[in-house]
Amino acid sequence: MAAVTRADVAPPPRDRLFNLARFVCETDFPHFPEKVAQRAKFSILDNLGCGLLGSGYAEMEALRNSVGLFDASGSGPSTMILGRRTTSAFTASLLNASYVNVTELGEGVARSVTHPGTVIVPATLAYAEELNSSGPQVIEAVVLGYEALIRLGWALAHSPGQPVSRVEAHSLHRGWYPPALLGGFGVAVAAAKLRRFDVGRLVQAMGIYANIAPTSLLAAFRQGAMIKSLSAGWAAAFGLFAARLAEAGYTGVADFDQELFQKLVEAPDYDRIDSDLGESYEIMLVDVKFFACAGPMRTDLECTFQLLEWHPIRAAEVAEIQVETNQRAGLLTDPLPTTPVAAKFSLPYCIAQIFLGQNRAALMDDAFSETAIRNPQWRDLARRVQVRPVPEFTAAYNTHPKQLRPSRVTVVKHNGERFQHYIETMRGLPTSPPSADEYVEKFKHLARRSLSSAQVDDLVAAVTGLETEPNISRLMGMLRQPA
């Protein structure tokens, strides 16, 4: 398809991107089933909880201190989480998305290898605050931003001709970090929905983002690099920037799905972009995280917890811990991480912390503190963790929706005794979604260090009643510190 020269050019027939864009433009809040709007509100709550926790991380201070490098005015209408002043929507998107991402607690979608809420929720709220958007407008922007991002990511993680349920994460295994690289596409769509773009201009916004997307590397989290969290911030900010450029008349690469996607993977499955649009909503397929770690190893941690509940074993008794898992978790085997970021992507570290007495709640935050990492007790245990990918477990993992995510953990004691446990699923997966109470419980745990109990309750009420809010500004004001 030839490059377009005007932002409002008429779409060609049967083009997948235009089909997706048309669906976004023609679908509004009243079209959503109640369960879809409900899931959007809980996704907003979940990501705000992550942002509140992440804003207090030490590495985020350096980012806040660098804001002046790209935001000379230092003012604007949008809220920085727990900031004392407002700033531009661009800067608020960058900071707040980085806060969410640094926690490793943001929801994900396995079939697209993305974390939609990490980028879409902060950017949508920041831009909606600038526009004085209503609660229903925010909900529809979030739902449709998820829809677009997940479908685009799915096209890169699925091979043509394979069963629809099969996911292979091609770009991830090539060394890209898809949640950041692709995240801005969803942001651009959400922002375009808030501004009521037409179809042609919406495609241009995505095409612009394709040229400025952060080329984020998987190596960043393996090395524990601080830049890993900022990659999501850039995706959120650049996705919003792309939409604003499209509104100003800029044009982008209209066939970016071919020009970019074929450079990321060998054979994208373009049918995933617009297949069965409207039959269901992609936001219903999110994985909700209750451990602050890489998603592929969550069932390994849950399996370990359950094994120790059945068979209390002291750390000193352990000769070896064998973990049979999926291929993606098999990439996360650094036994001696040195930073919080690296620790969250180390299966040996996380399992060692469980054997040292960290509970499930601690795996959301305290187990990854500088104090926990400096404690030398975990090192010997981590070296005893042996991780082995199992083809059958990988095959089960590489299907979506996830009906099975198997893990088997075996503990061998010094005296030769062996204890083994096997699980196939856990709470938070699409087949075992959290209840409303579990969403709220997680939010309260994450927000407890930043806000009073009364403030937390007010935020929960505002988000869960978002469809009644005539203006998002009241909710955003609850996230600021008093001047």
Short mmCIF file of all heavy atoms in Angstrom, two decimals, residues 44-45 47-48 77-79 81 89 92-93 96 119-135 138-139 141-142 190 194 463 466 472-473 475-476 479:
data_model
loop_
_atom_site.label_atom_id
_atom_site.label_comp_id
_atom_site.label_asym_id
_atom_site.label_seq_id
_atom_site.Cartn_x
_atom_site.Cartn_y
_atom_site.Cartn_z
N ILE A 44 -8.12 -0.10 35.71
CA ILE A 44 -7.68 1.24 36.11
C ILE A 44 -7.25 1.23 37.57
O ILE A 44 -6.19 1.75 37.93
CB ILE A 44 -8.80 2.27 35.85
CG1 ILE A 44 -9.02 2.44 34.34
CG2 ILE A 44 -8.45 3.62 36.50
CD1 ILE A 44 -10.27 3.23 33.99
N LEU A 45 -8.06 0.62 38.43
CA LEU A 45 -7.72 0.56 39.85
C LEU A 45 -6.40 -0.18 40.07
O LEU A 45 -5.54 0.26 40.83
CB LEU A 45 -8.85 -0.15 40.61
CG LEU A 45 -8.70 -0.20 42.14
CD1 LEU A 45 -8.88 1.19 42.73
CD2 LEU A 45 -9.72 -1.17 42.74
N ASN A 47 -3.86 -0.65 38.02
CA ASN A 47 -2.69 0.09 37.56
C ASN A 47 -2.41 1.33 38.40
O ASN A 47 -1.25 1.71 38.60
CB ASN A 47 -2.85 0.44 36.08
CG ASN A 47 -2.60 -0.75 35.18
OD1 ASN A 47 -1.46 -1.10 34.90
ND2 ASN A 47 -3.66 -1.40 34.74
N LEU A 48 -3.45 1.95 38.93
CA LEU A 48 -3.23 3.07 39.85
C LEU A 48 -2.55 2.58 41.13
O LEU A 48 -1.67 3.27 41.67
CB LEU A 48 -4.55 3.76 40.18
CG LEU A 48 -5.14 4.65 39.09
CD1 LEU A 48 -6.47 5.24 39.55
CD2 LEU A 48 -4.17 5.76 38.70
N PRO A 77 -1.81 20.59 32.94
CA PRO A 77 -3.06 20.24 33.63
C PRO A 77 -3.12 18.85 34.22
O PRO A 77 -4.11 18.50 34.86
CB PRO A 77 -4.09 20.36 32.51
CG PRO A 77 -3.33 19.92 31.29
CD PRO A 77 -1.91 20.39 31.48
N SER A 78 -2.07 18.04 34.01
CA SER A 78 -2.19 16.61 34.32
C SER A 78 -1.44 16.24 35.59
O SER A 78 -0.39 16.80 35.91
CB SER A 78 -1.69 15.77 33.15
OG SER A 78 -2.46 16.04 31.99
N THR A 79 -1.96 15.23 36.29
CA THR A 79 -1.47 14.84 37.60
C THR A 79 -0.30 13.88 37.51
O THR A 79 -0.37 12.86 36.81
CB THR A 79 -2.60 14.17 38.40
OG1 THR A 79 -3.62 15.15 38.65
CG2 THR A 79 -2.10 13.61 39.73
N ILE A 81 1.43 11.17 39.78
CA ILE A 81 1.01 10.42 40.96
C ILE A 81 1.87 10.83 42.16
O ILE A 81 3.09 10.80 42.11
CB ILE A 81 1.12 8.91 40.71
CG1 ILE A 81 0.07 8.48 39.69
CG2 ILE A 81 0.95 8.13 42.01
CD1 ILE A 81 0.14 7.02 39.31
N ALA A 89 0.51 16.55 29.97
CA ALA A 89 0.03 15.17 29.81
C ALA A 89 1.17 14.26 29.35
O ALA A 89 1.24 13.09 29.75
CB ALA A 89 -1.12 15.14 28.81
N ALA A 92 3.29 13.56 32.51
CA ALA A 92 2.54 12.72 33.44
C ALA A 92 2.46 11.29 32.92
O ALA A 92 2.59 10.33 33.68
CB ALA A 92 1.15 13.29 33.66
N SER A 93 2.27 11.14 31.61
CA SER A 93 2.23 9.80 31.02
C SER A 93 3.55 9.09 31.21
O SER A 93 3.60 7.91 31.60
CB SER A 93 1.90 9.88 29.52
OG SER A 93 0.65 10.46 29.30
N ASN A 96 4.12 8.40 35.18
CA ASN A 96 3.17 7.48 35.81
C ASN A 96 3.27 6.07 35.22
O ASN A 96 3.14 5.09 35.94
CB ASN A 96 1.75 8.03 35.69
CG ASN A 96 1.57 9.32 36.47
OD1 ASN A 96 2.36 9.64 37.36
ND2 ASN A 96 0.53 10.07 36.15
N VAL A 119 0.78 1.14 30.14
CA VAL A 119 0.94 2.34 29.32
C VAL A 119 -0.39 3.04 29.05
O VAL A 119 -0.47 4.28 29.08
CB VAL A 119 1.65 2.00 27.99
CG1 VAL A 119 3.10 1.63 28.24
CG2 VAL A 119 0.95 0.86 27.26
N ILE A 120 -1.43 2.26 28.79
CA ILE A 120 -2.69 2.87 28.37
C ILE A 120 -3.39 3.61 29.51
O ILE A 120 -3.90 4.72 29.33
CB ILE A 120 -3.62 1.80 27.77
CG1 ILE A 120 -3.04 1.29 26.45
CG2 ILE A 120 -5.03 2.35 27.55
CD1 ILE A 120 -3.76 0.09 25.88
N VAL A 121 -3.42 3.02 30.70
CA VAL A 121 -4.13 3.66 31.81
C VAL A 121 -3.48 5.00 32.20
O VAL A 121 -4.17 6.02 32.28
CB VAL A 121 -4.24 2.71 33.01
CG1 VAL A 121 -4.73 3.45 34.26
CG2 VAL A 121 -5.20 1.56 32.68
N PRO A 122 -2.16 5.07 32.45
CA PRO A 122 -1.58 6.37 32.82
C PRO A 122 -1.75 7.44 31.74
O PRO A 122 -2.08 8.59 32.06
CB PRO A 122 -0.09 6.04 33.04
CG PRO A 122 -0.05 4.59 33.35
CD PRO A 122 -1.15 3.99 32.52
N ALA A 123 -1.54 7.06 30.48
CA ALA A 123 -1.63 8.05 29.41
C ALA A 123 -3.08 8.50 29.19
O ALA A 123 -3.33 9.70 28.97
CB ALA A 123 -1.05 7.48 28.12
N THR A 124 -4.00 7.58 29.25
CA THR A 124 -5.41 7.94 29.06
C THR A 124 -5.88 8.88 30.17
O THR A 124 -6.56 9.89 29.91
CB THR A 124 -6.29 6.68 29.03
OG1 THR A 124 -5.89 5.85 27.94
CG2 THR A 124 -7.76 7.04 28.86
N LEU A 125 -5.52 8.56 31.41
CA LEU A 125 -5.93 9.44 32.52
C LEU A 125 -5.29 10.81 32.41
O LEU A 125 -5.94 11.83 32.67
CB LEU A 125 -5.56 8.78 33.85
CG LEU A 125 -6.36 7.53 34.22
CD1 LEU A 125 -5.81 6.90 35.49
CD2 LEU A 125 -7.84 7.83 34.38
N ALA A 126 -4.02 10.86 32.03
CA ALA A 126 -3.34 12.16 31.90
C ALA A 126 -3.99 13.01 30.82
O ALA A 126 -4.22 14.23 31.02
CB ALA A 126 -1.86 11.93 31.59
N TYR A 127 -4.28 12.41 29.68
CA TYR A 127 -4.87 13.17 28.58
C TYR A 127 -6.33 13.52 28.88
O TYR A 127 -6.80 14.62 28.58
CB TYR A 127 -4.76 12.36 27.30
CG TYR A 127 -4.97 13.16 26.03
CD1 TYR A 127 -4.60 14.50 25.93
CD2 TYR A 127 -5.54 12.56 24.90
CE1 TYR A 127 -4.78 15.22 24.76
CE2 TYR A 127 -5.72 13.27 23.73
CZ TYR A 127 -5.35 14.60 23.67
OH TYR A 127 -5.54 15.30 22.50
N ALA A 128 -7.05 12.59 29.49
CA ALA A 128 -8.44 12.85 29.84
C ALA A 128 -8.56 14.00 30.84
O ALA A 128 -9.51 14.79 30.78
CB ALA A 128 -9.08 11.58 30.42
N GLU A 129 -7.58 14.11 31.73
CA GLU A 129 -7.59 15.23 32.68
C GLU A 129 -7.41 16.55 31.95
O GLU A 129 -8.07 17.54 32.27
CB GLU A 129 -6.49 15.02 33.72
CG GLU A 129 -6.55 16.01 34.87
CD GLU A 129 -5.55 15.69 35.97
OE1 GLU A 129 -4.63 14.88 35.73
OE2 GLU A 129 -5.68 16.27 37.07
N GLU A 130 -6.54 16.56 30.96
CA GLU A 130 -6.35 17.78 30.16
C GLU A 130 -7.62 18.15 29.41
O GLU A 130 -7.96 19.34 29.28
CB GLU A 130 -5.21 17.57 29.17
CG GLU A 130 -4.99 18.74 28.23
CD GLU A 130 -3.88 18.48 27.23
OE1 GLU A 130 -2.85 17.91 27.61
OE2 GLU A 130 -4.07 18.83 26.04
N LEU A 131 -8.33 17.14 28.92
CA LEU A 131 -9.52 17.37 28.10
C LEU A 131 -10.80 17.51 28.91
O LEU A 131 -11.87 17.73 28.32
CB LEU A 131 -9.69 16.22 27.10
CG LEU A 131 -8.55 15.98 26.11
CD1 LEU A 131 -8.82 14.72 25.30
CD2 LEU A 131 -8.37 17.18 25.20
N ASN A 132 -10.73 17.32 30.23
CA ASN A 132 -11.92 17.32 31.08
C ASN A 132 -12.92 16.25 30.65
O ASN A 132 -14.14 16.46 30.62
CB ASN A 132 -12.60 18.70 31.08
CG ASN A 132 -11.74 19.76 31.72
OD1 ASN A 132 -11.18 19.55 32.79
ND2 ASN A 132 -11.62 20.92 31.06
N SER A 133 -12.40 15.08 30.31
CA SER A 133 -13.24 13.97 29.85
C SER A 133 -14.04 13.39 31.00
O SER A 133 -13.67 13.49 32.17
CB SER A 133 -12.37 12.88 29.23
OG SER A 133 -11.63 13.39 28.13
N SER A 134 -15.12 12.71 30.65
CA SER A 134 -15.98 12.07 31.65
C SER A 134 -15.49 10.65 31.94
O SER A 134 -14.67 10.09 31.20
CB SER A 134 -17.42 12.02 31.14
OG SER A 134 -17.51 11.11 30.04
N GLY A 135 -16.05 10.06 32.98
CA GLY A 135 -15.72 8.69 33.31
C GLY A 135 -16.03 7.71 32.19
O GLY A 135 -15.20 6.87 31.83
N VAL A 138 -13.44 7.86 29.50
CA VAL A 138 -12.20 7.19 29.90
C VAL A 138 -12.33 5.68 29.76
O VAL A 138 -11.43 5.01 29.23
CB VAL A 138 -11.83 7.57 31.35
CG1 VAL A 138 -10.71 6.68 31.88
CG2 VAL A 138 -11.41 9.04 31.42
N ILE A 139 -13.44 5.14 30.19
CA ILE A 139 -13.64 3.69 30.11
C ILE A 139 -13.59 3.22 28.66
O ILE A 139 -12.93 2.22 28.33
CB ILE A 139 -14.97 3.28 30.78
CG1 ILE A 139 -14.88 3.50 32.29
CG2 ILE A 139 -15.31 1.83 30.47
CD1 ILE A 139 -16.21 3.34 33.01
N ALA A 141 -12.15 4.66 26.10
CA ALA A 141 -10.80 4.82 25.56
C ALA A 141 -9.89 3.69 26.04
O ALA A 141 -9.07 3.16 25.27
CB ALA A 141 -10.22 6.17 25.96
N VAL A 142 -10.01 3.32 27.30
CA VAL A 142 -9.19 2.23 27.85
C VAL A 142 -9.55 0.91 27.16
O VAL A 142 -8.66 0.17 26.70
CB VAL A 142 -9.39 2.13 29.38
CG1 VAL A 142 -8.83 0.82 29.91
CG2 VAL A 142 -8.71 3.31 30.07
N ALA A 190 -6.21 4.99 22.25
CA ALA A 190 -7.01 5.52 23.36
C ALA A 190 -7.11 7.04 23.28
O ALA A 190 -8.18 7.61 23.48
CB ALA A 190 -6.39 5.09 24.69
N LEU A 194 -10.45 9.48 22.70
CA LEU A 194 -10.85 10.63 23.51
C LEU A 194 -11.12 11.86 22.65
O LEU A 194 -12.00 12.67 22.96
CB LEU A 194 -9.74 10.95 24.53
CG LEU A 194 -9.59 10.00 25.72
CD1 LEU A 194 -8.37 10.37 26.54
CD2 LEU A 194 -10.84 9.99 26.61
N VAL A 463 -13.11 5.05 41.54
CA VAL A 463 -12.80 4.24 40.35
C VAL A 463 -13.92 3.25 40.06
O VAL A 463 -14.33 3.08 38.91
CB VAL A 463 -11.46 3.52 40.53
CG1 VAL A 463 -11.20 2.59 39.35
CG2 VAL A 463 -10.32 4.52 40.65
N LEU A 466 -16.79 4.90 38.32
CA LEU A 466 -16.27 5.83 37.32
C LEU A 466 -17.31 6.20 36.26
O LEU A 466 -17.29 7.32 35.72
CB LEU A 466 -15.04 5.21 36.64
CG LEU A 466 -14.21 6.10 35.72
CD1 LEU A 466 -13.71 7.33 36.46
CD2 LEU A 466 -13.05 5.31 35.14
N ILE A 472 -13.18 13.64 34.95
CA ILE A 472 -12.16 12.78 35.56
C ILE A 472 -11.29 13.54 36.55
O ILE A 472 -10.56 12.94 37.35
CB ILE A 472 -11.29 12.15 34.44
CG1 ILE A 472 -10.50 10.94 34.97
CG2 ILE A 472 -10.36 13.18 33.84
CD1 ILE A 472 -11.36 9.79 35.34
N SER A 473 -11.36 14.84 36.54
CA SER A 473 -10.45 15.66 37.36
C SER A 473 -10.60 15.38 38.86
O SER A 473 -9.62 15.44 39.61
CB SER A 473 -10.68 17.15 37.09
OG SER A 473 -10.38 17.44 35.74
N LEU A 475 -11.26 12.54 40.37
CA LEU A 475 -10.50 11.34 40.67
C LEU A 475 -9.01 11.62 40.66
O LEU A 475 -8.27 11.21 41.57
CB LEU A 475 -10.83 10.25 39.65
CG LEU A 475 -9.89 9.03 39.59
CD1 LEU A 475 -9.89 8.28 40.91
CD2 LEU A 475 -10.27 8.11 38.44
N MET A 476 -8.53 12.34 39.66
CA MET A 476 -7.10 12.58 39.55
C MET A 476 -6.59 13.44 40.70
O MET A 476 -5.45 13.27 41.16
CB MET A 476 -6.78 13.25 38.21
CG MET A 476 -7.17 12.42 36.99
SD MET A 476 -6.48 10.74 37.04
CE MET A 476 -4.74 11.11 36.87
N LEU A 479 -5.06 11.72 43.67
CA LEU A 479 -3.74 11.11 43.54
C LEU A 479 -2.60 12.10 43.80
O LEU A 479 -1.43 11.71 43.79
CB LEU A 479 -3.58 10.54 42.13
CG LEU A 479 -4.53 9.41 41.76
CD1 LEU A 479 -4.49 9.16 40.26
CD2 LEU A 479 -4.18 8.14 42.52
#
